[in-house]
């Protein structure tokens, strides 16, 4: 998932146009007329961002100064609460631009964002390094035991005070100046990392000219590749990209070993090609700057700095947890590799198992062991039906409903908007889905928002939530038919969306997904437990042509194969997790070779060459541009939590148990942070 905090820190467009007439027509300067408060996307132009940004910062500065210079004694209301409510215009414009740059990005938006980064970094530092403001926050914090605050107010105060401290409020003047420099540099480096990776992804295309090179590929994959080629001006040929929906089927079914190899290496080597989009030097700078910042703030490493505010609390706790997963996963992966090699040996080609063979031979074994081919399932996984299945599950658990809204402002023609209402008919929020890859859209899948939920002056502002994806696209003769992994991802991101939609908090800083990194994946991952349950599959898995429900025997095969290939799945993910911790446990600022460091980590953990780590360093966006630094372990940490939470349903004998669902909603989803 992607958090709005990181979008806000990068999402600004600059423009030289700021005439009085332009300001009068700037849609950010007027109240949104849509009854749901949705941004008027059709009216927003690139030239609108800079005037709105400048005015937003100006207004925010004035609000902050008024709080800092308030002649009245500091109180929770006039200091802590007032600060949390400040910056409305800045938040609105940054959220729109940040989200549109992620989903509809362009070279113009990227280049302008490069200029904007120092502005936002400086603006943030001006707040958290304001001595008078911090003095007021600290004054309230020191009196917290005597203020009669409720639980939510106490949490906001604690979180706000710590953010000032962790942002350098207690540093010397000289240290603060250096911290400003570090923050500015890191913001630009993080942006550059992501832009480089996105451009490498967009730039790559493999044109296949001979049909015999497509041997083994299902017809729907060939049709999609032909459509991509035609759209790119290569009519009569086939085009593959390094979007997962394009190249993963080739790894699974393509008999052309060289094609499998070329596509997998292109994907894993993104931004590692010693060109202008290479990220190795950026990584070295990011790691050393993070170490310097952490040590300036009193921590030994960046991991120690990050984990102090997570559930894990210390690197030692994470480093003790990870081997309990890594060691059995690696053992299982080695057994799987031996089985795959045995199948290859039986073909008498004299080939040794390589990473680009794993998916291909895994599908052969899946077919032999379980009589299951993932392509058998696609006809039953029409995107609209799967999405409705997620909606129906939420309705069954909590009574909430989703109604498609026609005529709503859309930021792209592929996006769809839904009104979400509670069992009593009250509005919970607006939900956008945008599931297909396109040029300018970031890779992966994520949840974010155009507005977070909060309460001010008695009014409950309901959230505007987004789920983004890069799933298999519809073709001229078929709807979007998802893979099993895409079905699971849709349910995962929907879980994040529910966290944002069902929240009931007063303050923005505590609302929805604004929780610790190793807790935020609980609401998403718990939804994965339901998606392939027979009772749930029967609600959405219908053949796209005939409308026939998925056969019971096919559901049984899916569940029988549920733990198949888990050595591979867990090992590739855990290798990235261990790489993340190795980077952020570093304590010495020094020049180092990124490739050599990564290789040494893989050697030290015993990684087998037949499996590539899920992300190479140069395209590990989670930790270098996405807010998961020293936090990629969170998926496995939260997996323990979500398994335990789901078991609470299972133990009742009813996975739709209303009492458990209500307790989960009340105590987890509604509480935010």
């Amino acid at each position: 998932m992607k958090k709005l905090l990181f979008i806000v820190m990068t999402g600004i467009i600059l423009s030289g146009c700021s005439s009085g007439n332009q300001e009068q027509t700037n849609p950010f300067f007027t109240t949104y007329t849509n009854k749901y408060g949705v941004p008027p996307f059709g009216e927003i132009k690139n030239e609108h961002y800079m005037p709105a940004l400048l005015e937003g910062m100006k207004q925010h500065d004035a609000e902050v100064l008024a709080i800092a210079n308030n002649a009245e004694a500091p109180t929770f209301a006039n200091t802590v609460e007032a600060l949390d409510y400040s910056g409305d215009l800045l938040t609105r414009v940054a959220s729109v631009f940040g989200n549109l740059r992620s989903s509809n990005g362009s070279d113009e938006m990227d280049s302008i964002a490069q200029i904007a980064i120092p502005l936002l970094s400086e603006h943030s530092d001006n707040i958290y390094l304001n001595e008078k403001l911090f003095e007021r926050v600290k004054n309230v914090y020191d009196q917290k035991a005597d203020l009669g605050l409720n639980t939510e107010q106490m949490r906001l105060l604690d979180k706000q005070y710590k953010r000032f401290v962790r942002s350098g409020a207690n540093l010397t003047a000289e240290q603060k100046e250096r911290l400003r420099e570090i923050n500015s540099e890191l913001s630009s480096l993080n942006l550059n990392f992501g832009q480089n990776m996105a451009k490498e992804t967009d730039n790559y295309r493999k044109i296949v000219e001979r049909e015999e090179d497509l041997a083994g590929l299902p017809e729907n994959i060939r049709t999609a590749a032909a459509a991509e080629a035609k759209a790119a001006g290569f009519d009569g040929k086939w085009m593959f990209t390094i979007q997962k929906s394009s190249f993963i089927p080739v790894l699974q079914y393509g008999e052309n070993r060289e094609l499998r190899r070329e596509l997998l290496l292109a994907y894993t080597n993104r931004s590692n090609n010693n060109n202008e989009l290479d990220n190795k030097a950026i990584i070295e700078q990011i790691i050393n700057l993070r170490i310097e910042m952490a040590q300036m703030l009193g921590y030994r490493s960046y991991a120690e700095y990050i984990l102090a505010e997570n559930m894990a609390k210390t690197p030692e706790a994470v480093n003790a947890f990870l081997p309990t997963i890594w060691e059995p996963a690696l053992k299982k992966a080695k057994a799987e590799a031996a089985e795959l090699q045995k199948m290859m040996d039986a073909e008498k080609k004299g080939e040794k198992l390589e990473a680009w063979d794993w998916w291909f031979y895994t599908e052969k074994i899946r077919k032999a062991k379980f009589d299951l081919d993932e392509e058998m399932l696609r006809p039953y996984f029409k995107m609209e039906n799967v999405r409705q299945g997620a909606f129906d599950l939420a309705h069954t658990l909590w009574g909430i409903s989703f109604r498609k809204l026609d005529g709503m402002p859309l930021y792209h023609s592929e996006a769809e908007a839904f009104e979400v209402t509670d069992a009593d008919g009250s509005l919970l929020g607006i939900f956008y889905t945008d599931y297909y890859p396109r040029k300018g859209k970031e890779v992966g899948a994520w949840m974010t928002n155009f507005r977070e939920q909060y309460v001010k002056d008695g009014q409950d502002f309901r959230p505007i939530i987004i789920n983004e994806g890069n799933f298999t696209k519809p073709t001229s003769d078929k709807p979007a038919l998802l893979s099993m992994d895409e079905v699971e991802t849709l349910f995962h991101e929907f879980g994040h969306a529910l966290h944002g939609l069902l929240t009931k908090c007063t303050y923005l800083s505590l609302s929805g997904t604004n929780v610790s990194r190793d807790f935020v994946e609980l609401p998403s991952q718990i939804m994965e437990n339901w998606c392939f349950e027979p009772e749930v599959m029967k609600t959405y898995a219908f053949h796209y042509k005939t409308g026939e429900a998925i056969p019971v025997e096919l559901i049984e095969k899916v569940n029988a194969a549920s733990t198949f290939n888990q050595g591979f799945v867990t090992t590739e993910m855990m290798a990235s997790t261990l790489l993340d911790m190795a980077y952020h446990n570093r304590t010495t600022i020094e020049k180092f070779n990124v490739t050599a460091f990564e290789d040494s980590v893989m050697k030290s953990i015993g990684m087998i060459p037949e499996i590539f780590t899920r992300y190479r360093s140069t395209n590990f966006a989670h930790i270098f541009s996405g807010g998961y630094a020293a936090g990629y372990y969170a998926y496995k940490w939260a997996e323990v939590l979500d398994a335990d939470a789901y078991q609470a349903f299972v133990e009742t004998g009813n996975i739709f148990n209303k009492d458990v669902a209500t307790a989960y909603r009340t105590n987890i989803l509604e509480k935010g942070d």
Side-chain angles (χ1 to χ4, degrees):
M1 93 164 266
K2 176 181 291 183
K3 299 298 292 297
L4 180 59
L5 170 63
F6 303 100
I7 296 175
V8 169
M9 291 306 295
T10 59
I12 301 300
I13 280 193
L14 299 181
S15 169
C17 179
S18 60
S19 68
N21 181 61
Q22 193 277 338
E23 289 182 7
Q24 291 174 9
T25 60
N26 192 317
F28 288 114
F29 292 156
T30 58
T31 301
Y32 298 160
T33 57
N34 184 281
K35 76 172 187 175
Y36 299 105
V38 169
F41 300 112
E43 301 174 18
I44 297 172
K45 311 297 181 186
N46 282 356
E47 60 264 26
H48 293 144
Y49 288 105
M50 188 54 195
L53 165 64
L54 292 175
E55 180 61 25
M57 286 196 294
K58 179 181 176 182
Q59 290 182 14
H60 199 196
D61 284 340
E63 291 172 298
V64 169
L65 286 175
I67 297 168
N69 296 326
N70 191 340
E72 298 178 3
T75 66
F76 177 84
N78 70 22
T79 301
V80 177
E81 188 176 68
L83 186 57
D84 196 69
Y85 285 136
S86 66
D88 177 69
L89 175 59
L90 182 59
T91 298
R92 285 194 290 118
V93 62
S95 67
V96 172
F97 177 74
N99 285 317
L100 266 57
R101 194 173 66 83
S102 295
S103 59
N104 303 333
S106 65
D107 289 341
E108 178 190 2
M109 296 173 88
D110 282 349
S111 62
I112 298 174
Q114 287 278 1
I115 304 171
I117 291 302
L119 288 176
L120 278 185
S121 177
E122 181 180 11
H123 178 71
S124 179
D125 285 338
N126 287 343
I127 295 172
Y128 291 103
L129 297 178
N130 183 311
E131 294 180 4
K132 292 178 68 176
L133 182 61
F134 175 57
E135 184 180 346
R136 291 183 65 87
V137 172
K138 185 176 184 303
N139 185 292
V140 178
Y141 182 80
D142 289 342
Q143 302 177 61
K144 63 181 180 179
D146 303 318
L147 298 178
L149 302 178
N150 62 32
T151 301
E152 186 176 7
Q153 291 170 331
M154 189 69 81
R155 177 58 179 153
L156 178 64
L157 174 56
D158 183 71
K159 192 171 185 177
Q160 197 174 101
Y161 172 76
K162 287 180 178 177
R163 184 169 183 185
F164 273 89
V165 173
R166 290 168 59 79
S167 297
N170 285 325
L171 298 180
T172 65
E174 183 179 353
Q175 289 174 320
K176 288 178 180 178
E177 188 58 36
R178 175 54 185 155
L179 185 60
R180 287 176 179 271
E181 295 173 356
I182 291 173
N183 288 338
S184 180
E185 291 178 52
L186 281 174
S187 295
S188 294
L189 289 168
N190 293 341
L191 178 64
N192 291 343
F193 183 99
Q195 288 181 350
N196 287 348
M197 197 185 83
K199 288 176 182 177
E200 284 259 298
T201 302
D202 279 346
N203 290 347
Y204 181 86
R205 58 188 184 187
K206 172 64 178 177
I207 305 300
V208 175
E209 300 187 357
R210 304 185 310 167
E211 189 166 8
E212 55 262 39
D213 289 335
L214 306 179
L217 293 183
E219 187 58 37
N220 66 302
I221 303 301
R222 298 183 183 210
T223 301
E228 289 287 332
K230 184 176 182 178
F234 297 94
D235 200 8
K237 299 180 175 59
W238 299 265
M239 188 175 94
F240 296 94
T241 70
I242 45 179
Q243 291 283 358
K244 284 191 172 183
S245 58
S246 177
F247 81 88
I248 290 296
V250 178
L251 295 184
Q252 290 177 299
Y253 303 105
E255 295 176 9
N256 186 325
R257 193 184 192 207
E258 180 56 31
L259 180 60
R260 299 198 308 262
R261 175 183 177 276
E262 182 176 338
L263 289 172
L264 182 60
L265 289 179
Y267 175 77
T268 58
N269 283 323
R270 286 171 297 164
S271 297
N272 186 32
N273 295 301
N274 299 315
N275 56 19
E276 71 278 4
L277 300 178
D278 195 280
N279 276 335
K280 292 191 288 292
I282 290 176
I283 291 171
E284 181 187 338
Q285 294 175 70
I286 288 175
I287 292 299
N288 283 331
L289 286 169
R290 285 175 175 173
I291 294 171
E292 183 181 356
M293 183 190 77
Q295 293 180 346
M296 186 183 297
L297 293 168
Y299 300 90
R300 290 173 297 174
S301 66
Y302 193 72
E304 191 173 87
Y305 167 75
I306 289 294
L307 294 171
E309 290 301 298
N310 280 4
M311 292 183 74
K313 297 303 180 188
T314 66
E316 290 76 18
V318 175
N319 293 334
F321 169 68
L322 296 182
T324 67
I325 302 173
W326 171 253
E327 291 168 7
L330 183 61
K331 181 179 179 180
K332 179 65 173 174
K334 289 179 178 178
E336 291 170 355
E339 188 174 19
L340 296 175
Q341 185 64 61
K342 185 177 179 180
M343 175 172 276
M344 294 181 71
D345 292 343
E347 295 180 345
K348 301 186 183 304
K349 296 180 181 178
E351 295 174 343
K352 182 183 180 301
L353 178 67
E354 301 284 358
W356 44 87
D357 300 318
W358 193 290
W359 296 73
F360 182 72
Y361 286 97
T362 289
E363 285 306 310
K364 289 179 175 290
I365 291 178
R366 193 197 312 269
K367 179 69 173 176
K369 279 189 172 184
F370 305 101
D371 191 26
L372 179 65
D373 181 334
E374 280 207 43
E375 287 303 305
M376 297 164 59
L377 298 170
R378 276 190 191 266
Y380 296 96
F381 291 161
K382 181 181 175 182
M383 184 282 288
E384 289 83 358
N385 291 345
V386 176
R387 180 177 60 192
Q388 188 60 48
F391 291 172
D392 290 343
L393 174 60
H395 182 76
T396 299
L397 292 172
W398 301 295
I400 66 178
S401 300
F402 294 76
R403 180 175 68 90
K404 186 174 179 181
L405 296 171
D406 296 320
M408 283 285 284
L410 300 176
Y411 57 91
H412 191 275
S413 60
E414 292 176 344
E416 297 178 81
F418 299 84
E419 177 191 66
V420 188
T421 52
D422 211 341
D424 63 2
S426 61
L427 180 68
L428 285 172
I430 300 300
F431 179 48
Y432 282 90
T433 64
D434 180 15
Y435 286 140
Y436 305 126
R438 53 180 173 263
K439 184 176 177 59
K441 188 177 189 180
E442 293 184 3
V443 298
W446 62 92
M447 166 269 188
T448 181
N449 59 71
F450 288 115
R451 181 175 70 206
E452 294 186 287
Q453 180 270 334
Y454 65 100
V455 177
K456 186 177 182 181
D457 298 329
Q459 182 177 354
D460 186 358
F461 292 87
R462 298 311 302 172
I464 302 170
I465 304 296
I466 320 154
N467 270 179
E468 298 279 0
N470 283 277
F471 300 155
T472 302
K473 299 171 65 173
T475 62
S476 58
D477 62 341
K478 288 181 183 176
L481 301 175
L482 307 185
S483 67
M484 286 184 68
D485 181 67
E486 289 170 337
V487 171
E488 190 172 78
T489 299
L490 187 150
F491 271 76
H492 176 106
E493 298 304 335
F494 183 64
H496 283 308
L498 290 172
H499 199 183
L501 287 164
L502 296 178
T503 185
K504 289 185 176 180
C505 292
T506 303
Y507 305 110
L508 277 165
S509 296
L510 307 181
S511 175
T513 56
N514 289 309
V515 299
S516 66
R517 185 64 66 183
D518 47 10
F519 185 80
V520 77
E521 297 300 336
L522 161 60
S524 58
Q525 291 180 170
I526 193 174
M527 300 303 291
E528 298 174 22
N529 289 278
W530 274 287
C531 70
F532 295 126
E533 288 278 12
E535 301 98 313
V536 177
M537 289 186 73
K538 290 174 183 177
T539 70
Y540 70 78
F542 302 99
H543 198 283
Y544 78 98
K545 282 186 176 178
T546 67
E548 176 191 5
I550 188 170
V552 173
E553 56 268 26
L554 197 50
I555 295 178
E556 291 173 347
K557 290 175 182 179
V558 168
N559 283 276
S562 61
T563 60
F564 177 67
N565 199 40
Q566 287 304 299
F568 167 83
V569 171
T570 307
T571 296
E572 64 149 8
M573 181 178 189
M574 288 300 299
S576 293
T577 301
L578 292 162
L579 180 62
D580 170 32
M581 291 305 296
Y583 271 120
H584 294 108
N585 278 326
R586 291 175 65 97
T587 58
T588 303
I589 300 172
E590 60 186 0
K591 292 188 68 64
F592 65 96
N593 183 290
V594 167
T595 302
F597 180 78
E598 180 181 308
D599 289 345
S600 70
V601 172
M602 293 302 106
K603 182 178 180 181
S604 70
I605 64 177
M607 183 65 166
I608 58 176
E610 295 89 349
I611 300 178
F612 286 164
T613 180
R614 181 169 293 186
Y615 302 108
R616 296 287 306 276
S617 298
T618 56
N619 47 69
F620 202 168
H622 280 78
I623 69 171
F624 292 119
S625 65
Y628 276 77
Y632 197 62
Y633 77 92
Y635 289 97
K636 287 300 178 185
W637 186 279
E639 194 171 312
V640 177
L641 303 178
D642 83 67
D644 189 48
Y646 189 66
Q647 191 64 23
F649 288 89
V650 173
E651 287 173 355
T652 70
N654 178 10
I655 60 171
F656 307 119
N657 185 287
K658 296 293 181 63
D659 292 337
V660 178
T662 298
Y664 173 64
R665 173 177 176 172
T666 303
N667 295 300
I668 300 294
L669 298 179
E670 291 183 356
K671 288 293 189 288
D673 197 26

